[in-house]
Amino acid sequence: QVQLVESGGGLVQAGGSLRLSCTASGRRLRNNIMGWDRQAPGKQREWIATIHSAGGTNYADSVKGRFTISRDNAKNTVYLQMDGLKPEDTAVYYCYCQDGPSDYWGQGIQVTVAS
């Protein structure tokens, strides 16, 4: 059983930066996939980024070049560095972990970008 808790959200001006963190507890994670998605009001959930256990990454076109995903396996933590934020990045951000047959999600954290 894994629990994921996000932190680092908040309000930022357009062009600013935030770094989201998501820490897993309950079990050490090794051979897993972690990542982030988001959901804006009235919009479908959008996948943002994925990082594999060995460090390989993938990004949605909407954030490519602006967001960077990373992980610290010793801390069971995944990060999302968000630079050059735009108002359209405003959403609730969710982290996830795919660990064997299980799929875990955090509760979500609000990111608001003011224009």
Side-chain angles (χ1 to χ4, degrees):
Q1 190 79 0
V2 175
Q3 298 175 355
L4 302 176
V5 179
E6 302 102 334
S7 63
L11 174 66
V12 66
Q13 297 293 315
S17 298
L18 286 173
R19 189 174 81 154
L20 304 182
S21 299
C22 176
T23 298
S25 63
R27 185 170 66 189
R28 184 181 178 187
L29 304 175
R30 292 183 62 185
N31 301 316
N32 59 76
I33 296 170
M34 301 186 75
W36 297 87
D37 65 5
R38 67 187 182 186
Q39 188 167 24
K43 304 293 185 180
Q44 65 184 22
R45 184 170 292 199
E46 176 189 20
W47 167 79
I48 296 300
T50 294
I51 185 165
H52 297 80
S53 60
T57 59
N58 298 94
Y59 297 93
D61 288 341
S62 59
V63 305
K64 194 174 299 180
R66 299 187 298 119
F67 291 10
T68 303
I69 188 171
S70 61
R71 65 190 293 165
D72 185 337
N73 289 332
K75 298 180 179 179
N76 286 336
T77 298
V78 61
Y79 304 95
L80 187 68
Q81 177 68 42
M82 304 183 293
D83 298 316
L85 284 163
K86 305 174 181 179
E88 51 263 43
D89 295 318
T90 295
V92 176
Y93 285 70
Y94 301 88
C95 66
Y96 64 85
C97 175
Q98 298 171 3
D99 184 29
S102 300
D103 190 11
Y104 302 97
W105 294 89
Q107 290 295 309
I109 189 164
Q110 179 70 45
V111 171
T112 302
V113 184
S115 60

